[in-house]
């Protein structure tokens, strides 16, 4: 089995100073041998700051979104080759905040993921149900549909990552129960032919270990807790299997 992935989604938080401080703290913590793949996804204007801090270290850089075209008249958008040139190796696509507030459809998410693949980035394709959908017993169907519509056909599972992020667990302090995470991840892995699936939604140092050890959980996508260096470093440490009972 491949190692775990711990990805930080800073969203629209921070400033120049925090970008330096957080990235430097993560680099100091993982030094030369991180227990997992660590990916930092800062706001686009701080990519160069983080790139400078992680230069020649095992920490990877990611964008938070890219466009579904390689270039063009799309004011405010960022293309996958631009992220690549900025030093990224990953890009988050289809985050529920993009789907919700920017009305992105799964077809658009698939175009973004395809651009990422074309330009040598690993797309982290986000899926997840709303609370109403979960309460209506539709979570599995909603997520299955998002997966089939958002992942480019024929994409090699080595080259992309999925992230299951139940919308009701994002930034709320509520995490999905272990059984729900495990069954949803199994469902996605079976559908997506063995793809790696991260869990996201209120991951904290106190619950990362128990989530990380669930089968079919390839790692975590962390929002709020990734903005606190100590918390994020403890989540990275939870990738050590010997920590899974104690973290
Ligand atoms: P959260 O965000 O960890 O703050 O819940 C996760 C995400 O939206 O990726």
């Amino acid at each position: 089995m491949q190692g775990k992935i711990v990805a930080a989604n800073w969203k629209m938080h921070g400033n120049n100073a925090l970008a330096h401080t957080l990235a430097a703290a993560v680099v100091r913590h993982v030094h030369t041998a991180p227990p997992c793949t660590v990916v930092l996804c800062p706001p686009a204007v701080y990519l160069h700051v983080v790139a400078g801090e992680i230069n020649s270290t095992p920490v990877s850089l990611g964008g938070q979104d890219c466009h579904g075209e390689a270039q063009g008249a799309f004011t405010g958008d960022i293309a996958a080759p631009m992220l690549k040139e900025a030093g990224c190796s990953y890009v988050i696509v289809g985050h529920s905040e993009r789907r919700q507030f920017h009305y992105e459809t799964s077809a658009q998410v698939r175009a973004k993921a395809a651009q990422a693949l074309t330009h040598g980035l690993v797309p982290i394709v986000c899926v997840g149900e709303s609370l109403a959908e979960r309460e209506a017993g539709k979570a599995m169907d909603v997520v299955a549909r998002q997966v089939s519509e958002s992942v480019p056909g024929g994409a090699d599972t080595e080259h992309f990552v999925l992230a299951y992020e139940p919308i009701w667990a994002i930034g709320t302090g509520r995490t999905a129960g272990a059984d729900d995470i495990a069954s949803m991840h199994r469902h996605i892995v079976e559908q997506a032919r063995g793809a790696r699936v991260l869990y996201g939604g209120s991951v904290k140092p106190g619950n990362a270990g128990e989530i990380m050890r669930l089968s079919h959980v390839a790692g975590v996508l962390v929002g709020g807790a990734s903005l606190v260096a100590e918390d994020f470093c403890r989540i990275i440490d939870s990738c050590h299997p010997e920590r899974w009972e104690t973290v």
Side-chain angles (χ1 to χ4, degrees):
M1 199 180 108
Q2 294 163 318
K4 305 277 188 193
I5 300 170
V6 174
N9 176 10
W10 292 359
K11 307 192 181 185
M12 197 174 71
H13 291 293
N15 53 29
N16 208 58
L18 187 75
H20 273 292
T21 311
L22 275 176
V26 171
V27 165
R28 259 196 318 278
H29 186 73
V30 302
H31 196 49
T32 51
C36 55
T37 298
V38 178
V39 187
L40 301 181
C41 304
V45 291
Y46 303 128
L47 283 169
H48 71 289
V49 174
V50 176
E53 293 289 349
I54 66 174
N55 189 23
S56 304
T57 78
V59 179
S60 300
L61 189 63
Q64 294 183 8
D65 181 45
C66 69
H67 198 274
E69 303 274 346
Q71 62 176 353
F74 302 109
T75 303
D77 281 315
I78 297 174
M82 297 173 184
L83 292 175
K84 184 73 182 175
E85 196 175 35
C88 291
S89 37
Y90 290 80
V91 59
I92 299 168
V93 293
H95 190 281
S96 61
E97 287 151 14
R98 304 283 321 172
R99 292 178 187 262
Q100 190 179 350
F101 303 126
H102 295 262
Y103 310 104
E104 288 184 6
T105 63
S106 288
Q108 287 171 308
V109 174
R110 183 170 51 201
K112 289 167 184 247
Q115 275 295 314
L117 290 167
T118 301
H119 295 282
L121 298 168
V122 174
I124 301 173
V125 182
C126 300
V127 295
E129 81 284 0
S130 67
L131 186 57
E133 289 162 340
R134 173 151 290 267
E135 286 177 347
K138 294 184 183 154
M140 294 284 190
D141 290 347
V142 166
V143 169
R145 187 158 173 204
Q146 287 177 345
V147 170
S148 74
E149 292 178 354
S150 305
V151 174
D156 183 336
T157 53
E158 288 293 310
H159 296 150
F160 70 92
V161 175
L162 283 154
Y164 169 56
E165 299 203 305
I167 296 169
W168 47 272
I170 295 176
T172 58
R174 287 180 66 184
T175 23
D179 289 348
D180 287 339
I181 297 175
S183 54
M184 183 62 87
H185 277 240
R186 187 179 328 107
H187 182 63
I188 298 172
V189 168
E190 280 166 8
Q191 183 189 350
R193 305 173 309 277
R196 292 165 292 171
V197 186
L198 312 183
Y199 172 79
S202 297
V203 175
K204 303 274 182 278
N207 60 23
E210 65 198 53
I211 293 169
M212 210 74 85
R213 73 172 190 230
L214 296 171
S215 55
H216 303 307
V217 171
V220 289
L221 179 55
V222 187
S226 73
L227 294 165
V228 180
E230 194 196 327
D231 286 358
F232 188 64
C233 291
R234 285 176 62 203
I235 292 171
I236 291 171
D237 288 344
S238 72
C239 287
H240 289 290
E242 65 271 22
R243 300 287 185 97
W244 292 353
E245 300 302 331
T246 54
V247 171

